Amino acid sequence: MARALVAALVFDILEEDEIEQKKKKKRQRKTWVKEWRSRRPVFSHISLLKELEQSSPADYKNFLRMDPSVYKELLEKVTPYIEKQNTLMRDAISPDERLSVTLRYLATGESYESLKFQSYISTASLSNIIIETFEALIKVLKDFISLPKSEEEWKTIASEFYELWNFPNCLGAVDGKHVNITKPPHSGAYYFNY
């Protein structure tokens, strides 16, 4: 009986030791938020926008491709659709940050990976934020967006682009977007952007 008791104690000790080792092996998260991202309120592009609005309105317009008054009006319209609740774990990304990073994405065509350093928002969050903000913009601006309704209207637009600009099969253009091309040979500075 003493042997059985000793064996049971040894078994208990070994079982507890095995459980402890499994707990240690379990992968632990290194950090909840990268340290540099936790300083978003101080260093993000929102601080830059506030500074530009006060000191350099032309640079503000260049950064977002719109005047501060137009931006504020747009922010007011989309806020109900893109505003999120703060939680005990973290503060939500503000509608201001969400809209401005989306507009910056549209203005520059930068990748999410590049935008994360300006906005201090993770790439995964940016991908969700930008899509959600696009959807909100479509909702609030639907009365300002019009598309041709018939195939004939599309063909008319394409033929006008071809006649005016010698650009076949084009259905629209956006001003202010630069596209990298290889310049034709012997074109001099004609294709150089100053």
Side-chain angles (χ1 to χ4, degrees):
M1 183 154 153
R3 282 186 178 184
L5 188 57
V6 170
L9 285 173
V10 168
F11 182 75
D12 261 358
I13 291 170
L14 289 175
E15 193 174 55
E16 285 177 23
D17 198 35
E18 194 175 308
I19 291 170
E20 194 66 35
Q21 285 179 358
K22 282 183 183 179
K23 284 181 183 177
K24 285 181 183 178
K25 284 184 181 180
K26 190 175 181 180
R27 190 175 80 97
Q28 292 183 354
R29 183 178 290 210
K30 292 179 184 175
T31 58
W32 180 254
V33 175
K34 290 184 178 178
E35 187 178 330
W36 65 272
R37 259 197 213 116
S38 66
R39 296 190 212 119
R40 184 174 70 234
V42 178
F43 295 114
S44 81
H45 68 285
I46 294 297
S47 302
L48 173 63
L49 280 173
K50 288 176 184 171
E51 177 66 28
L52 291 176
E53 185 178 4
Q54 299 299 315
S55 64
S56 183
D59 287 335
Y60 183 100
K61 187 173 183 177
N62 186 30
F63 191 80
L64 290 181
R65 306 292 199 268
M66 66 178 59
D67 292 319
S69 60
V70 174
Y71 175 78
K72 287 178 182 158
E73 184 180 336
L74 188 58
L75 179 62
E76 197 174 292
K77 288 181 179 184
V78 297
T79 293
Y81 298 100
I82 62 174
E83 190 169 31
K84 304 294 181 191
Q85 295 279 326
N86 290 340
T87 67
L88 293 174
M89 300 296 278
R90 65 174 71 112
D91 289 341
I93 298 168
S94 72
D96 192 13
E97 290 173 288
R98 290 169 174 271
L99 179 60
S100 60
V101 78
T102 300
L103 293 175
R104 187 71 183 148
Y105 174 77
L106 289 171
T108 64
E110 288 186 45
S111 67
Y112 296 156
E113 197 63 33
S114 173
L115 285 172
K116 80 177 182 184
F117 296 110
Q118 292 176 37
S119 63
Y120 281 67
I121 300 170
S122 73
T123 306
S125 294
L126 280 172
S127 66
N128 290 327
I129 287 168
I130 290 173
I131 290 169
E132 287 173 4
T133 308
F134 280 163
E135 290 170 352
L137 287 169
I138 290 168
K139 280 181 190 172
V140 300
L141 298 175
K142 68 180 175 220
D143 296 336
F144 300 98
I145 300 170
S146 66
L147 295 173
K149 305 214 182 328
S150 70
E151 186 177 328
E152 284 306 311
E153 287 180 81
W154 285 110
K155 286 179 180 179
T156 303
I157 292 168
S159 67
E160 287 173 1
F161 267 100
Y162 184 69
E163 288 169 19
L164 288 170
W165 307 107
N166 196 24
F167 207 111
N169 302 316
C170 182
L171 299 172
V174 176
D175 186 29
K177 184 68 182 157
H178 293 264
V179 179
N180 288 330
I181 63 167
T182 303
K183 71 178 186 131
H186 312 295
S187 61
Y190 186 71
Y191 287 91
F192 186 76
N193 191 7
Y194 293 99

